[in-house]
Amino acid sequence: IGARIKVPFGDKWGAYYWGDIAVGGGSARDWQTIGAATYKGSVATTYSLGYRYLYDLKTNGGNVAVNMSIKGPFVAATFHLK
């Protein structure tokens, strides 16, 4: 289950928030959240600067197999191909 919110600040600037959580049975549980500012450089390019937090927990027969979190800032470029 997840949600994504995009907020434009004029023609070139914007921000987004994205979060999701894994649901279902089994031994895996994970969730993540991302927040970023965006700048539309051209019709075909968007640049982003943000922060991401990812948590992952997997168990195997009641024992913890993986318990980790990954977090930190990111810089990205998106190329829109048409």
Side-chain angles (χ1 to χ4, degrees), residues 10-14 37-48 76-80:
D11 292 336
K12 298 234 178 224
W13 290 94
T38 60
Y39 177 77
K40 189 168 187 169
S42 69
V43 174
T45 310
T46 303
Y47 303 99
S48 301
T78 304
F79 303 99
H80 308 279

Side-chain angles (χ1 to χ4, degrees), residues 1-8 14-21 32-38 46-48 74 76 78 80:
I1 298 174
R4 181 174 158 177
I5 299 169
K6 292 178 79 174
V7 180
Y16 70 86
Y17 173 78
W18 169 12
D20 62 47
I21 186 167
Q32 69 177 332
T33 184
I34 299 170
T38 60
T46 303
Y47 303 99
S48 301
F74 68 87
T78 304
H80 308 279

Side-chain angles (χ1 to χ4, degrees), residues 32-77:
Q32 69 177 332
T33 184
I34 299 170
T38 60
Y39 177 77
K40 189 168 187 169
S42 69
V43 174
T45 310
T46 303
Y47 303 99
S48 301
L49 174 65
Y51 191 85
R52 178 181 184 190
Y53 183 88
L54 169 67
Y55 176 76
D56 191 12
L57 174 66
K58 293 186 179 29
T59 58
N60 184 5
N63 299 318
V64 173
V66 175
N67 184 9
M68 67 175 199
S69 64
I70 301 170
K71 56 189 174 254
F74 68 87
V75 176

